[in-house]
């Protein structure tokens, strides 16, 4: 495998700590959300970081697919919701909802583009079979 880029981050203190990328461009306080028994407030959490990373990666995959098919997806947006869940055995699991809004194409064409993007997105490929992902196309 030919590695194209490597990101590095370090966390201290788990969900109630701090995380920093090796280049210093990302430095965040980690705060457990109220829904998980924490104080909430200023800071972020691993699920939010995963959601924005996945959204950015998926939108790039969507743009690549559209460019390849010569389809204009100007003003499109991707929203990813990452949920922390427990399965029937009590093990923690991640659930993803990937929602795409593509105002320049029909709903059917948008659905096809989203499915193709899901096949090429590195985050989707990394989590396939491990994270239950639901694809959603919304109307503008």
């Amino acid at each position: 495998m030919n590695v194209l880029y490597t990101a590095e981050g370090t966390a201290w203190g788990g969900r109630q700590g701090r995380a920093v990328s090796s280049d210093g461009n990302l430095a965040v306080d980690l705060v457990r959300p109220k829904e998980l028994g924490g104080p909430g407030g200023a800071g972020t959490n691993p699920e939010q970081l995963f959601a924005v990373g996945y959204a950015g990666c998926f939108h790039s995959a969507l743009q690549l697919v559209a460019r390849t098919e010569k389809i204009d997806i100007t003003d499109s947006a991707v929203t990813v919701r990452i949920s922390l869940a427990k399965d029937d055995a009590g093990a923690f699991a991640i659930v993803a909802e990937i929602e795409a809004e593509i105002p320049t194409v029909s709903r059917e064409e948008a659905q096809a583009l989203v499915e193709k993007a899901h096949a090429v997105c590195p985050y989707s490929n990394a989590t396939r079979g491990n994270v239950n992902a639901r694809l959603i196309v919304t109307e503008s």
Side-chain angles (χ1 to χ4, degrees):
M1 184 172 293
N2 181 24
V3 175
L4 301 175
Y5 171 74
T6 300
E8 180 180 331
T10 303
W12 301 268
R15 289 181 173 273
Q16 285 297 129
R18 183 158 175 73
V20 178
S21 63
S22 61
D23 62 7
N25 287 331
L26 177 67
V28 295
D29 291 324
L30 299 174
V31 178
R32 186 182 311 262
K34 288 181 181 180
E35 297 85 349
L36 296 178
T44 190
N45 59 64
E47 292 73 29
Q48 289 174 330
L49 294 169
F50 188 29
V52 297
Y54 202 158
C57 188
F58 196 93
H59 198 243
S60 288
L62 184 63
Q63 290 170 325
L64 173 68
V65 168
R67 215 174 22 257
T68 300
E69 297 190 11
K70 296 178 176 39
I71 298 171
D72 177 20
I73 62 166
T74 302
D75 298 326
S76 62
V78 171
T79 301
V80 174
R81 293 175 198 84
I82 296 295
S83 299
L84 182 62
K86 273 193 176 180
D87 66 17
D88 293 337
F92 289 104
I94 297 290
V95 178
E97 283 187 355
I98 304 162
E99 181 178 326
E101 181 181 342
I102 311 172
T104 54
V105 300
S106 70
R107 184 177 191 82
E108 294 76 24
E109 196 171 21
Q111 186 68 43
L113 288 170
V114 167
E115 289 173 11
K116 289 175 184 174
H118 190 50
V120 300
C121 173
Y123 274 53
S124 293
N125 289 333
T127 60
R128 189 171 282 103
N130 297 308
V131 172
N132 183 5
R134 181 173 164 232
L135 302 176
I136 302 166
V137 173
T138 59
E139 305 277 337
S140 314

